[in-house]
Amino acid sequence: MTKKSKRTSKNIVRRVKYLQKSKLEKEIIAGNNPIYLSDSDRITYAYKRNRENKKISEVVNVSLEIKIKSKWLTIKRYDSSHGFLHRHTRVSIGDDSEIISVAGVKKSGKHSNWLTWSIKDIKAKFWFYKRAFLKRSGINQD
Amino acid sequence: MSKNKQISKNLDLSEKLAYYIAAHPTLNTKFPKGSAYVAFSATDAKLNAANKKLVLNLNKEGKKIIKAQETKNENKPWNFSFASI
């Protein structure tokens, strides 16, 4: 006779932790080293890739960071942690809360398409994102 | 070279580098945690001069910088080395 484990909350937590750990071991996080554009602007790309089939399994972080008063602030960030690509937008220098949105974000395709799309988006709209953030923060760039 | 021009040119280079990084997932395992890239062009000497200054400034701040040198070789489009003072 086999002993059946009880479905206690402690056992469920243990099981979830085990599944999370085994999932992590199957994936490798690549990228995650920022690329400097200037001494006060940089971009970071990080994604998860499955060790077995080599496919991109998650966009971890595609972000645009700027340095203001010796502090690096992430002003725009994409990730697909909930199974779909979405955008995080920092409100302003003084307000570190984020607006999470899928408006105008690529919905079709897979994680690899989303990674390419977010890299292109940050590149294409770099100046727009930066100017908009500085404007929201009350800083005039002119 | 103005800072804005440097940023615009580095945006183009960073896109190419990002695709290379995406295609080579073991690349970041070769470098220590906390290191960062500065890309150098295969053709643009003015940008490279500006980026050299950038590396010097980042090194002074104590940052570990990886010099990503774009090449004209299609089979090996990037060379990586540590940029030190």
Side-chain angles (χ1 to χ4, degrees):
Chain A
M1 215 169 111
T2 54
K3 197 181 172 186
K4 214 173 179 182
S5 65
K6 285 180 186 173
R7 285 201 128 206
T8 61
S9 58
K10 212 174 184 180
N11 282 342
I12 292 167
V13 168
R14 255 189 229 148
R15 176 77 181 147
V16 168
K17 277 186 180 170
Y18 167 78
L19 286 172
Q20 281 175 338
K21 197 183 170 198
S22 60
K23 195 186 171 199
L24 282 175
E25 282 169 353
K26 282 181 191 166
E27 292 168 326
I28 178 172
I29 293 184
N32 215 17
N33 303 79
I35 302 173
Y36 278 85
L37 308 172
S38 78
D39 51 5
S40 57
D41 304 84
R42 67 186 188 189
I43 293 175
T44 303
Y45 310 104
Y47 62 96
K48 272 186 194 166
R49 191 183 279 271
N50 190 296
R51 282 183 198 272
E52 288 158 12
N53 62 20
K54 310 284 181 201
K55 285 184 179 169
I56 292 169
S57 54
E58 188 181 322
V59 177
V60 176
N61 176 36
V62 174
S63 63
L64 163 58
E65 294 137 40
I66 62 171
K67 194 178 181 183
I68 293 175
K69 291 178 186 169
S70 310
K71 262 189 167 181
W72 283 101
L73 308 175
T74 300
I75 63 169
K76 193 72 71 172
R77 182 168 75 83
Y78 285 103
D79 73 73
S80 65
S81 61
H82 303 291
F84 58 94
L85 189 68
H86 53 280
R87 183 198 297 120
H88 298 246
T89 304
R90 183 177 168 129
V91 172
S92 66
I93 294 170
D95 185 348
D96 64 357
S97 55
E98 289 181 328
I99 299 163
I100 300 168
S101 166
V102 291
V105 176
K106 188 173 176 67
K107 291 173 185 69
S108 59
K110 296 173 184 171
H111 293 273
S112 57
N113 305 108
W114 298 340
L115 178 66
T116 308
W117 184 89
S118 46
I119 289 169
K120 277 188 191 297
D121 180 81
I122 293 271
K123 188 209 159 194
K125 296 180 182 164
F126 173 88
W127 293 108
F128 172 74
Y129 290 151
K130 189 176 173 180
R131 279 196 198 105
F133 176 77
L134 293 175
K135 195 177 173 188
R136 289 197 300 274
S137 303
I139 295 174
N140 191 353
Q141 265 209 310
D142 300 326
Chain B
M1 180 179 282
S2 71
K3 188 175 173 179
N4 284 359
K5 195 155 195 177
Q6 182 188 16
I7 292 171
S8 293
K9 287 186 170 190
N10 275 334
L11 274 169
D12 290 333
L13 264 184
S14 73
E15 187 186 17
K16 290 186 208 171
L17 179 58
Y19 291 138
Y20 185 83
I21 294 168
H24 297 81
T26 56
L27 191 66
N28 72 326
T29 59
K30 294 174 186 170
F31 305 119
K33 273 188 180 176
S35 52
Y37 296 103
V38 173
F40 284 76
S41 166
T43 54
D44 193 331
K46 283 182 183 172
L47 175 65
N48 290 348
N51 281 353
K52 200 174 173 182
K53 282 183 193 166
L54 172 62
V55 168
L56 286 172
N57 288 336
L58 292 170
N59 273 331
K60 278 178 196 166
E61 288 176 18
K63 300 252 173 17
K64 287 172 267 183
I65 300 298
I66 305 152
K67 181 183 175 183
Q69 175 67 60
E70 185 190 27
T71 73
K72 290 176 182 174
N73 181 350
E74 282 182 13
N75 297 322
K76 199 176 184 257
W78 293 95
N79 277 331
F80 297 93
S81 60
F82 273 106
S84 53
I85 301 167

